[in-house]
Amino acid sequence: MRKAIFITGLMAALPAWSCNQGDLTGRWNLFYDDFSCLMTVQPDGRVTAGQCLHLAEDPDKAGSRDPVRGRLKMQADCRVTGKLNTTDRDNRKVRLSFGQTRMTGDLAALHGIVYVARGEGSGIDIGSPETFSGDYANFSAVLVD
């Protein structure tokens, strides 16, 4: 009985760690695979003013830069969900789906796993439905300002 009272008292003394949508607001640099995406997250979660640098296959050459757009949502348990869209160096559409993502306690970084789906063809719309295939990738993001 004493153990139960002690544990209950200890849990009540610990601060509750929770997050809100405003914790995502700001400029973030997201890293996954061979991409580096600098983006601004608005208070409502919209991703604007962003671009992804898809590094070149040859490290001595510049990579391609493409816009990134989407929406991210902060859950109360500090998990981030949402989707981002960009293209890769072969002009294929890339869709990132977030679900297994956590904000760090200092609210300055995100870490987790993202599902990266790539379009099978080029980003040019030829009238037929585009097919996507993908896999999971580790990612990190840091708050720039």
Side-chain angles (χ1 to χ4, degrees):
M1 180 69 174
R2 287 184 184 169
K3 285 183 182 180
I5 293 171
F6 174 74
I7 290 172
T8 303
L10 181 62
M11 290 177 66
L14 294 174
W17 183 30
S18 65
C19 295
N20 62 59
Q21 185 65 37
D23 294 332
L24 278 176
T25 302
R27 287 185 66 208
W28 290 86
N29 199 349
L30 170 79
F31 305 96
Y32 72 95
D33 288 341
D34 52 356
F35 279 83
S36 173
C37 301
L38 187 60
M39 60 193 182
T40 301
V41 179
Q42 300 298 321
D44 66 356
R46 282 181 310 115
V47 174
T48 61
Q51 67 174 222
C52 289
L53 171 62
H54 189 186
L55 302 173
E57 291 176 354
D58 180 349
D60 295 329
K61 295 182 179 177
S64 63
R65 293 182 186 274
D66 294 293
V68 60
R69 298 289 184 263
R71 186 174 297 269
L72 298 175
K73 183 173 181 182
M74 177 65 78
Q75 306 297 318
D77 64 354
C78 301
R79 188 171 48 90
V80 177
T81 60
K83 295 187 183 303
L84 296 176
N85 299 302
T86 189
T87 54
D88 66 12
R89 69 176 149 256
D90 297 324
N91 201 31
R92 293 183 304 171
K93 292 179 182 176
V94 178
R95 296 179 180 164
L96 306 173
S97 298
F98 297 84
Q100 299 302 314
T101 304
R102 294 280 178 205
M103 175 79 81
T104 58
D106 62 0
L107 306 177
L110 299 168
H111 301 288
I113 299 170
V114 63
Y115 185 77
V116 181
R118 287 191 163 98
E120 295 296 327
S122 72
I124 300 170
D125 184 10
I126 57 173
S128 61
E130 190 167 5
T131 304
F132 284 81
S133 62
D135 206 350
Y136 289 94
N138 292 317
F139 84 95
S140 293
V142 293
L143 184 63
V144 177
D145 57 294

